[in-house]
Amino acid sequence: MKIVEKMDRLQKQFISLEFFPPKDKNEWPAFFRVADRLAQLQPLFASVTYGAGGSTKGDTLEIVSRLRNEHGLDTMAHLTCIGAYRGDLQLFLDRLVATGVDNVLALRGDLPQDAPPEFSACRTLLHASDLAAFIKECHPDMGIGVAGYPEVHPEAVDAEHDLSYLKLKLDQGGDFAITQLFFDNDLYFDFVAKARSIGVDKPIIPGIIPVVSLKVIQRIISLCGATLPAAYLAELEEADRRGGAAAVQKVGVAHARKQAEELLAAGVPGVHIYTLNRDQVVLDLVDGLLP
């Protein structure tokens, strides 16, 4: 079933989860134990990331299949188009359908290192909007999610152009959007208001991440363009001085929980949690969050 159809039928707020495939298959047993614990939360869906240039697409395919068929999770596979060929994408989508996976998050993806800006194996699949249209064409019954950027995509000309691309992705086949992580809820509310003002009427699910260490979050935000509010960063740095990673994680979970509570109280469809494959962190974050 399409995720957007599940939202409509559910008629209540939800949580969803995002996992990333461990690089070493020796880590897979531990990963699936984490997934099994988090399946207790009955998330609306679980998404699985896809490495730069499709580098982990085989792992993504196997993991979404196992999460669905062995762990009872409705899954959504990430899929990127930059540097890909239509035939390879068609094959990946066909295999997803064959394993019962009905949803894809359509992304442009990151350019390979040292690639020129105009690089792409397929010149007709340069943007996430192209991929959304391609998926809609070859698998019209598949659910399609797209990404939204409350703080503007790092490569966007400006916020206005970025919003127009969000609308294009949704118009080309996307059913809903999931936002990039953010730490100030006002950024999300402002982003949604501006999207609505240009005619976007599909669900925009906020994505939040619990900070588990300063090193990890600084690496993540350097890649995605999100910003840590000065007061929050100071609180994390003080926690790090006082108690190291454990103290940082405690502050990070508390902040993410407060974000989630405020977002849900404001009536968002649900909250998408970037799990970092950390089961206890997510369990602490969502304990008692929903009725």
Side-chain angles (χ1 to χ4, degrees):
M1 183 186 296
K2 290 184 180 182
I3 287 169
V4 72
E5 293 172 351
K6 288 192 69 178
M7 287 188 218
D8 290 341
R9 291 191 184 188
L10 187 66
Q11 291 293 304
K12 62 180 181 179
Q13 293 171 305
F14 61 85
I15 63 163
S16 55
L17 306 174
E18 182 161 305
F19 297 105
F20 63 90
K23 292 181 179 179
D24 187 341
K25 282 207 171 185
N26 291 327
E27 298 173 12
W28 280 31
F31 168 81
F32 283 110
R33 286 194 293 272
V34 167
D36 207 41
R37 286 195 77 197
L38 293 182
Q40 303 168 24
L41 300 174
Q42 297 183 311
L44 187 74
F45 64 91
S47 68
V48 180
T49 63
Y50 190 83
S55 57
T56 62
K57 65 181 180 182
D59 290 350
T60 298
L61 181 64
E62 184 175 347
I63 285 175
V64 293
S65 301
R66 289 183 60 180
L67 288 177
R68 180 188 184 279
N69 298 318
E70 298 175 20
H71 300 269
L73 291 166
D74 276 340
T75 49
M76 176 172 69
H78 290 208
L79 182 60
T80 62
C81 62
I82 196 75
Y85 291 96
R86 295 172 75 92
D88 290 340
L89 295 177
Q90 174 81 60
L91 183 60
F92 182 83
L93 292 166
D94 292 346
R95 288 175 173 170
L96 282 178
V97 171
T99 60
V101 176
D102 301 320
N103 295 277
V104 172
L105 187 68
L107 304 164
R108 187 202 69 175
D110 297 323
L111 291 166
Q113 286 189 342
D114 303 321
E118 68 275 9
F119 171 83
S120 178
C122 178
R123 300 300 297 173
T124 61
L125 290 172
L126 295 175
H127 307 287
S129 55
D130 301 326
L131 179 57
F134 175 73
I135 297 167
K136 193 73 173 177
E137 176 188 347
C138 63
H139 281 287
D141 294 330
M142 181 164 274
I144 304 171
V146 300
Y149 298 87
E151 296 185 73
V152 185
H153 190 283
E155 296 176 30
V157 175
D158 55 34
E160 184 179 355
H161 282 82
D162 201 33
L163 273 172
S164 71
Y165 288 128
L166 171 65
K167 186 174 188 303
L168 179 61
K169 289 186 286 189
L170 293 166
D171 289 346
Q172 290 290 83
D175 301 312
F176 63 94
I178 297 174
T179 75
Q180 182 58 273
L181 60 95
F182 58 91
F183 300 99
D184 180 347
N185 288 348
D186 286 343
L187 292 168
Y188 169 81
F189 294 131
D190 185 56
F191 176 69
V192 173
K194 288 177 178 176
R196 301 293 183 236
S197 74
I198 63 166
V200 172
D201 58 2
K202 294 179 179 178
I204 301 176
I205 304 168
I208 62 172
I209 188 169
V211 174
V212 297
S213 82
L214 277 173
K215 182 178 180 181
V216 169
I217 200 59
Q218 286 167 344
R219 179 179 62 82
I220 290 173
I221 63 176
S222 72
L223 296 172
C224 73
T227 55
L228 279 166
Y232 183 33
L233 176 59
E235 187 180 5
L236 290 168
E237 290 174 337
E238 174 58 28
D240 191 46
R241 285 191 292 271
R242 188 178 67 248
V248 168
Q249 180 171 299
K250 185 175 180 179
V251 170
V253 169
H255 183 89
R257 183 180 177 86
K258 183 180 179 183
Q259 278 191 271
E261 289 172 342
E262 291 177 350
L263 289 162
L264 291 167
V268 301
V271 175
H272 188 69
I273 300 171
Y274 296 99
T275 70
L276 300 171
N277 296 355
R278 305 285 187 100
D279 50 353
Q280 193 57 53
V281 166
V282 177
L283 291 169
D284 291 343
L285 167 56
V286 305
D287 182 36
L289 195 60
L290 294 174

